[in-house]
Amino acid sequence: QHTPSTMGNFFGRQRTAYVRVSLPAVSFVWQIAMIILFGVFIRYDKESDAHWVEYKKSHNITSDIENDFYYRYPSFQDVHVMIFVGFGFLMTFLQRYSFGGVGFNFLIAAFGVQWALLMQGWFHSLDHSTGKIYIGIENLINADFCVAGSLIAYGALLGKVSPVQLLVLTLFGVTLFAVEEYIILDLLHCRDAGGSMVIHAFGGYYGLAISWVLYRPNLHQSKRLNGSVYHSDVFAMIGTLFLWMFWPSFNSAITDHGDGQHRAAINTYLGLASCVLTTVAISSMHDKRGRLDMVHIQNATLAGGVALGTAAEFMITPYGALIVGFCCGIISTFGYIFVTPFLEKRLKLQDTCGIHNLHAVPGMLGGFVGAIVAATANESIYSKEGLINTFDLEGKYADRSLGTQGGFQAAGTCVAIAFGLVGGAIVGFILKFPIWGDPADDNCFDDEAYWEVPEDEETIPPVLEYNNHMIHKHQDIAETNFSVEQC
């Protein structure tokens, strides 16, 4: 018989960051499972199979350049860089958790893309006559998108969970993603090329719900490490710039050939540019001396790209894209200043990277912006063919009105949030079990729990010489120490 107090003891047990058995076991077993499942289900599609030569002849295709690879691969590479470099380096801002930021991001993505190819394949590209999933370059892009949801969730848990917990989070995150994506894109027939709803709103609320369940009342014991240093913020800024530069590719990667893709890139580009200026404005206004906060510049400057994920391929107009970016820079920066501290204090929600302000809220807003733009679309703006093409109003959806389409777009946003919150709460409860090797409260935000860390940083003498009253006395020492640290 478990009384409430013994259950509390069960979950509030002494944590130990020991993963020597669980991490190799999970990694080996799951990778072998992937090999078996791929062997049973996954095959090359017609454009990546050696039968392409015959297919070309039978379909009167004159050139290999018409193979989808040449059309989609540049976008795939950009998205791939965002997932592995952009997200990875964005998470290196913690002073002693850069290995964990980049390294565990790498682990999540490498496992996640394999599982995503299977999960999305079963829902979207399973050939029922053969029981096989046929994959090509577009499937690789979609798998990267799928993994992005779990990487966003990792942002809320950065520094507080073990690599085994992250693999479990990814297993469930990719599964939930594939289901909500199927409901939103196939059953509700929403358009969401850049994933405001299915990627950002879902991933954001999924991570927040898990973080809420895994609340640590004694996290203040690691407070000394829950912050950045000069060089860690520079590294994180590299992630920001990669994400910022490639976001037009992210939002346009799987849109329709031609005008849809062209428009998505333009709108995202403009929204991001607008977002930077309002982020800088609010960040400067908030400080008594008008100085900028690197947290805002690293994160809120990307909110415009998130919020344009759904509407990017619509005729939102260039100035409309600027307005969305303008508003999101303000909303996201205010989120970092006021909402994150409030969530931690009042709702017991510890969100390390502030994904609430960069993904959850802008993703939700992006879904509703898409709904409004869809509901107000008309033939004079799009042309008859353009409307059918942009909103895919063919077959059984041929008679759907644009007002109805807008309603379904809004419903899709709500589905994504519900999946994130409910799924995250359940997964959080699973991750609470005392078997995953998560770090103790006084050992969070520290690479030493899971990584072999070089010792050179430990041997640097105390940084007393930087204190103002000793500057002149130790000028030469300070300079040599600084240069050693940089090397």
Side-chain angles (χ1 to χ4, degrees):
Q1 174 99 23
H2 279 303
T3 62
S5 63
T6 51
M7 281 300 280
N9 294 341
F10 176 70
F11 285 125
R13 82 289 174 206
Q14 190 59 46
R15 292 181 167 92
T16 163
Y18 182 75
V19 291
R20 191 181 174 187
V21 177
S22 54
L23 184 58
V26 169
S27 301
F28 270 125
V29 171
W30 287 10
Q31 189 53 55
I32 291 163
M34 290 299 113
I35 292 168
I36 294 166
L37 287 168
F38 269 61
V40 173
F41 288 103
I42 302 249
R43 299 291 181 269
Y44 299 118
D45 72 2
K46 62 182 182 295
E47 300 199 21
S48 51
D49 191 277
H51 291 79
W52 164 250
V53 185
E54 295 170 9
Y55 180 84
K56 233 174 22 170
K57 281 181 188 160
S58 63
H59 286 72
N60 289 329
I61 296 171
T62 52
S63 164
D64 279 327
I65 209 80
E66 291 188 46
N67 189 304
D68 207 34
F69 176 83
Y70 297 102
Y71 178 74
R72 300 276 184 207
Y73 190 72
S75 297
F76 163 69
Q77 272 294 62
D78 290 357
V79 171
H80 217 45
V81 167
M82 288 177 74
I83 297 300
F84 287 88
V85 181
F87 275 110
F89 275 91
L90 186 63
M91 296 194 204
T92 60
F93 65 94
L94 290 171
Q95 55 186 310
R96 297 286 296 154
Y97 204 71
S98 294
F99 287 7
V102 176
F104 293 153
N105 184 90
F106 194 12
L107 175 68
I108 291 171
F111 165 64
V113 291
Q114 299 174 69
W115 182 227
L117 285 167
L118 285 159
M119 280 304 303
Q120 290 180 307
W122 285 321
F123 277 107
H124 294 285
S125 47
L126 184 66
D127 184 329
H128 293 286
S129 61
T130 60
K132 299 286 184 269
I133 297 163
Y134 295 96
I135 63 165
I137 192 72
E138 195 169 335
N139 302 80
L140 305 190
I141 296 173
N142 277 315
D144 273 355
F145 280 170
C146 187
V147 164
S150 296
L151 294 178
I152 290 164
Y154 175 36
L157 306 168
L158 189 69
K160 301 177 294 185
V161 287
S162 74
V164 186
Q165 284 176 304
L166 290 172
L167 286 167
V168 175
L169 172 146
T170 310
L171 181 78
F172 286 107
V174 167
T175 308
L176 286 164
F177 183 100
V179 177
E180 58 112 20
E181 182 189 45
Y182 176 72
I183 293 170
I184 292 169
L185 302 187
D186 289 36
L187 302 185
L188 300 181
H189 195 66
C190 297
R191 306 290 287 161
D192 191 24
S196 289
M197 304 187 272
V198 296
I199 300 171
H200 300 288
F202 164 75
Y205 287 107
Y206 177 61
L208 292 170
I210 295 173
S211 185
W212 181 70
V213 175
L214 296 183
Y215 174 70
R216 290 169 175 260
N218 299 317
L219 192 63
H220 57 83
Q221 294 174 8
S222 293
K223 196 172 169 85
R224 69 195 188 286
L225 295 176
N226 187 7
S228 59
V229 287
Y230 194 80
H231 65 266
S232 70
D233 268 336
V234 174
F235 272 114
M237 198 63 207
I238 294 170
T240 300
L241 291 173
F242 268 108
L243 289 168
W244 197 91
M245 285 165 54
F246 287 142
W247 216 293
S249 296
F250 190 90
N251 282 355
S252 66
I254 54 166
T255 44
D256 292 334
H257 290 211
D259 65 301
Q261 188 159 39
H262 202 156
R263 201 162 48 243
I266 293 171
N267 289 335
T268 308
Y269 178 92
L270 294 172
L272 283 163
S274 173
C275 189
V276 175
L277 274 80
T278 49
T279 299
V280 167
I282 301 294
S283 185
S284 175
M285 273 167 56
H286 173 251
D287 185 78
K288 287 187 175 65
R289 288 167 56 188
R291 295 172 304 183
L292 300 173
D293 186 332
M294 204 54 166
V295 173
H296 308 153
I297 308 306
Q298 284 160 358
N299 294 283
T301 50
L302 299 168
V306 174
L308 278 164
T310 302
E313 62 175 330
F314 302 161
M315 293 278 283
I316 191 172
T317 71
Y319 74 89
L322 289 176
I323 292 169
V324 171
F326 183 93
C327 296
C328 275
I330 296 171
I331 292 165
S332 183
T333 314
F334 271 127
Y336 281 96
I337 295 169
F338 299 113
V339 181
T340 298
F342 172 83
L343 290 176
E344 180 150 355
K345 199 171 170 193
R346 295 272 181 259
L347 293 185
K348 307 283 187 250
L349 182 60
Q350 296 156 332
D351 176 7
T352 311
C353 289
I355 63 167
H356 178 268
N357 316 308
L358 173 54
H359 297 283
V361 171
M364 174 180 69
L365 291 173
F368 291 131
V369 166
I372 294 163
V373 178
T376 54
N378 60 50
E379 217 169 287
S380 66
I381 299 171
Y382 285 80
S383 82
K384 188 165 188 220
E385 291 293 315
L387 273 180
I388 293 167
N389 189 38
T390 304
F391 296 100
D392 228 4
L393 300 175
E394 294 174 307
K396 62 179 178 178
Y397 302 104
D399 297 328
R400 180 183 277 189
S401 75
L402 290 156
T404 310
Q405 179 67 32
F408 275 103
Q409 295 281 149
T413 310
C414 299
V415 169
I417 294 168
F419 261 83
L421 291 173
V422 177
I426 295 166
V427 173
F429 189 76
I430 292 166
L431 294 180
K432 235 175 146 59
F433 282 94
I435 54 173
W436 307 116
D438 46 336
D441 287 329
D442 60 352
N443 205 21
C444 291
F445 314 116
D446 192 347
D447 275 333
E448 289 202 345
Y450 302 108
W451 296 89
E452 194 69 57
V453 180
E455 282 187 16
D456 55 1
E457 242 177 280
E458 309 310 312
T459 56
I460 293 174
V463 201
L464 285 173
E465 49 265 30
Y466 293 114
N467 288 355
N468 288 341
H469 62 281
M470 297 180 74
I471 276 181
H472 302 298
K473 204 184 291 186
H474 289 275
Q475 190 75 39
D476 50 335
I477 304 174
E479 279 170 9
T480 49
N481 272 345
F482 189 67
S483 57
V484 166
E485 191 175 349
Q486 290 306 302
C487 302

